[in-house]
Amino acid sequence: MTADIRFFWARLNANYWFYPALFSIIAAALAFGMVGLDRAGFAEVLNDVDWIVPARPKGASDMLTVMAGSMIGVASTVFSITIAAVAYASGNYGPRLLTNFMEDRGNQLSLATFIGSFVYALIVLRAVRAEDETPATGADAAATALPGFTPQLSLLVAYALMGLCVAVLVFFLNHIPSSIRINKVLKGIGDRLLEAIRETYPVEDEFSDAVEPVGGKPLLAWGTGYVQMIDFEDLEGIARDCGCTFSLRVRTGDFVHRDMPLMDIDGCEPDDIEKKVRGGFTLGSTRTPEQDPQFLIDELVEIGLRALSPGINDPFTAITALHWLGAATAEIGRRDLRKDVCGEDADDCPVIPVADNFDHYVKRGFGAIRSAVASSPIAAEVMLDTLANAAVPIKDERRQKLLKVEAERLADQARLILVGPDLEQFEDHLTAFNKSFW
């Protein structure tokens, strides 16, 4: 399976229209199936149930009409509320978070339920025959003891769908305001980041050096855009078949353009395998979270930077972002940062990815937000505490020292900005940090 197919599937079920389209197809199949059962005479058993009053054609038609009209109306309202929430979130938290809200399963499934119910009611409504109409088939006349044709089983399912839609509407009205709360947004990003780190670097408490690239002739990029996914399994198969070694020069999330080196190939000519290798890379106009923990780190940093900007001045939101950055940094610091791209055959893997190191992630997270944090006394003190807490589970002294260096850089930056009692309080906190760190 090529990277394009994998990426297409990963993004397909993340699109806002995927579940509504899927539910519409399921609802249409259910409607035709239930009408078929009604026409086959299965609705006769309902005549023996005392608490079920058979509906007449006009009542059934009115009910289905109201259901279809109200469901499409509610679906429009749900879509409008979602767009309003997305506009608010992207304006306050950053445009990159637009993807997070569009991929929200609660929003997608809520809209899909209303659209599916609308499709179901519309198809069943078409099968209803008034008392003065001729039945569509001979079986229609026997489907119920009442004149005309009323799909009684289909109508019961429609009532059940209406009850489900009411429950989904209540859920949606609670879900939307909850989903745009900044703590909930940061928790969603943080949980996803921790999961991505554990998936990318599954080995804990080992700190082996990365495999050095072997060089070779460069394979140049053929397009322009962000590397959205790399199919390492596909590249491994190509490399083994050709008896060569690939030393990648880009990682997922990097921006490339034409004639920029993607990898070095040792053992064969790049022109001979260029077409095969192209299927292992997916290029696009935007970065995505797939295979790219840095993207999620950048989202946390962006929220923190916006919160500390003079126009917003919300240090407590930045503090929450720092807490999640600290948790992610601690998780990265305790793991072997060699990417296991070949599984069981890692010892002689012919694909060598770009080496990731702990210093890179520290600079990408704390280093990127440092200058803004230094301007806020309370955020600066919390960042010192976060760095100290992140160092606790890390057993490698070199990585602990990198966190100490980051604290020193924060101190240098804070001394240029803070004055008076704020600076004195920060210096006291820094002294306590240095004592506890070592």
Side-chain angles (χ1 to χ4, degrees):
M1 184 181 293
T2 64
D4 285 328
I5 297 176
R6 289 186 176 183
F7 184 77
F8 172 76
W9 174 248
R11 305 313 302 166
L12 179 63
N13 56 22
N15 280 307
Y16 200 63
W17 54 264
F18 177 74
Y19 282 102
L22 179 63
F23 277 38
S24 296
I25 295 173
I26 295 175
L30 177 63
F32 284 117
M34 295 307 301
V35 171
L37 292 177
D38 278 307
R39 286 178 174 171
F42 284 90
E44 291 183 359
V45 297
L46 300 179
N47 296 328
D48 299 329
V49 181
D50 296 335
W51 57 273
I52 296 181
V53 180
R56 291 187 176 273
K58 187 177 186 311
S61 178
D62 291 344
M63 195 277 285
L64 292 170
T65 301
V66 170
M67 179 180 175
S70 60
M71 288 305 102
I72 197 64
V74 172
S76 301
T77 303
V78 165
F79 183 76
S80 300
I81 294 175
T82 302
I83 294 301
V86 166
Y88 169 82
S90 61
N92 287 273
Y93 308 145
R96 267 154 293 281
L97 290 178
L98 179 65
T99 303
N100 298 42
F101 285 92
M102 296 302 290
E103 292 181 0
D104 187 277
R105 286 288 183 268
N107 297 341
Q108 291 178 343
L109 294 176
S110 296
L111 180 62
T113 302
F114 298 127
I115 294 295
S117 300
F118 165 76
V119 171
Y120 178 87
L122 209 61
I123 293 177
V124 173
L125 179 62
R126 180 179 175 273
V128 177
R129 294 289 183 271
E131 298 178 358
D132 56 348
E133 288 185 273
T134 303
T137 65
D140 289 352
T144 178
L146 299 176
F149 175 64
T150 305
Q152 304 289 348
L153 285 175
S154 304
L155 208 57
L156 283 178
V157 174
Y159 275 113
L161 288 177
M162 283 185 62
L164 175 63
C165 288
V166 171
V168 170
L169 180 60
V170 174
F171 159 79
F172 176 79
L173 295 176
N174 174 74
H175 176 72
I176 280 291
S178 174
S179 65
I180 61 176
R181 290 173 54 197
I182 187 59
N183 286 351
K184 184 74 175 290
V185 172
L186 288 169
K187 182 181 184 301
I189 299 173
D191 287 342
R192 194 170 184 180
L193 174 57
L194 294 175
E195 182 181 353
I197 292 170
R198 296 183 184 113
E199 181 179 348
T200 306
Y201 310 111
V203 180
E204 289 191 34
D205 299 329
E206 290 188 15
F207 311 102
S208 304
D209 293 331
V211 179
E212 294 294 330
V214 298
K217 296 182 179 180
L219 176 69
L220 305 180
W222 52 89
T224 302
Y226 291 97
V227 180
Q228 295 178 323
M229 183 172 284
I230 301 175
D231 192 337
F232 292 104
E233 182 180 345
D234 193 25
L235 293 179
E236 179 192 358
I238 297 172
R240 293 192 186 279
D241 291 341
C242 300
C244 53
T245 302
F246 297 157
S247 300
L248 272 65
R249 298 176 63 175
V250 297
R251 57 168 62 88
T252 308
D254 288 348
F255 186 84
V256 300
H257 52 75
R258 287 187 59 190
D259 297 332
M260 177 177 171
L262 281 181
M263 65 170 69
D264 294 327
I265 300 178
D266 180 58
C268 59
E269 292 295 325
D271 293 340
D272 297 338
I273 60 174
E274 179 179 356
K275 291 184 178 179
K276 295 180 180 179
V277 171
R278 284 187 179 185
F281 292 86
T282 299
L283 303 182
S285 59
T286 60
R287 293 172 62 191
T288 62
E290 280 76 23
Q291 291 186 345
D292 187 11
Q294 291 181 171
F295 177 79
L296 299 168
I297 292 176
D298 291 346
E299 286 189 333
L300 292 175
V301 170
E302 180 179 9
I303 293 176
L305 291 175
R306 281 175 171 264
L308 292 172
S309 63
I312 298 178
N313 192 22
D314 180 12
F316 296 100
T317 294
I319 288 172
T320 306
L322 286 172
H323 288 157
W324 284 105
L325 277 176
T329 302
E331 196 68 35
I332 294 172
R334 65 193 301 171
R335 293 181 176 273
D336 187 347
L337 298 184
R338 293 181 301 171
K339 292 181 178 178
D340 185 15
V341 299
C342 291
E344 298 178 355
D345 300 325
D347 294 336
D348 62 340
C349 184
V351 180
I352 303 175
V354 177
D356 294 331
N357 55 66
F358 187 63
D359 183 46
H360 168 78
Y361 282 112
V362 172
K363 291 180 179 178
R364 194 81 180 200
F366 288 113
I369 201 174
R370 183 198 321 123
S371 59
V373 170
S375 64
S376 172
I378 184 173
E381 293 178 10
V382 169
M383 181 167 167
L384 288 178
D385 294 337
T386 303
L387 288 169
N389 293 332
V392 171
I394 299 176
K395 299 180 180 179
D396 185 73
E397 293 184 359
R398 294 174 299 175
R399 294 182 178 182
Q400 288 182 338
K401 187 176 181 180
L402 290 174
L403 296 179
K404 179 70 163 50
V405 171
E406 187 58 41
E408 293 173 353
R409 291 173 178 171
L410 173 64
D412 293 339
Q413 192 82 26
R415 293 186 184 108
L416 298 175
I417 303 175
L418 301 180
V419 295
D422 288 337
L423 180 57
E424 293 178 5
Q425 186 173 343
F426 175 79
E427 292 288 0
D428 293 340
H429 211 84
L430 179 63
T431 302
F433 167 82
N434 289 328
K435 291 180 179 180
S436 65
F437 199 92
W438 298 104

Short mmCIF file of all heavy atoms in Angstrom, two decimals, residues 54 56 111 132 361:
data_model
loop_
_atom_site.label_atom_id
_atom_site.label_comp_id
_atom_site.label_asym_id
_atom_site.label_seq_id
_atom_site.Cartn_x
_atom_site.Cartn_y
_atom_site.Cartn_z
N PRO A 54 -52.08 1.27 14.88
CA PRO A 54 -51.65 1.42 13.49
C PRO A 54 -51.95 2.82 12.97
O PRO A 54 -53.00 3.40 13.24
CB PRO A 54 -52.47 0.36 12.75
CG PRO A 54 -52.87 -0.63 13.80
CD PRO A 54 -53.05 0.16 15.04
N ARG A 56 -52.68 5.63 10.02
CA ARG A 56 -53.31 5.71 8.71
C ARG A 56 -52.39 6.45 7.75
O ARG A 56 -51.46 7.15 8.17
CB ARG A 56 -54.67 6.41 8.82
CG ARG A 56 -55.70 5.57 9.56
CD ARG A 56 -57.07 6.21 9.52
NE ARG A 56 -58.05 5.36 10.15
CZ ARG A 56 -58.72 4.39 9.53
NH1 ARG A 56 -58.49 4.17 8.25
NH2 ARG A 56 -59.59 3.66 10.17
N LEU A 111 -24.10 15.67 12.90
CA LEU A 111 -24.62 16.06 11.58
C LEU A 111 -25.03 14.84 10.78
O LEU A 111 -26.07 14.85 10.10
CB LEU A 111 -23.57 16.87 10.83
CG LEU A 111 -23.96 17.35 9.43
CD1 LEU A 111 -25.15 18.29 9.50
CD2 LEU A 111 -22.78 18.03 8.75
N ASP A 132 -57.38 6.52 -0.86
CA ASP A 132 -58.08 6.51 -2.13
C ASP A 132 -57.15 6.22 -3.30
O ASP A 132 -57.55 6.30 -4.46
CB ASP A 132 -58.78 7.85 -2.37
CG ASP A 132 -57.82 9.02 -2.30
OD1 ASP A 132 -56.67 8.82 -1.85
OD2 ASP A 132 -58.22 10.13 -2.69
N TYR A 361 13.67 18.62 19.91
CA TYR A 361 12.30 18.75 20.44
C TYR A 361 12.22 19.80 21.54
O TYR A 361 11.21 20.50 21.66
CB TYR A 361 11.82 17.40 20.95
CG TYR A 361 11.38 16.46 19.86
CD1 TYR A 361 12.10 15.31 19.57
CD2 TYR A 361 10.24 16.73 19.10
CE1 TYR A 361 11.70 14.44 18.56
CE2 TYR A 361 9.84 15.87 18.09
CZ TYR A 361 10.57 14.74 17.82
OH TYR A 361 10.18 13.90 16.82
#
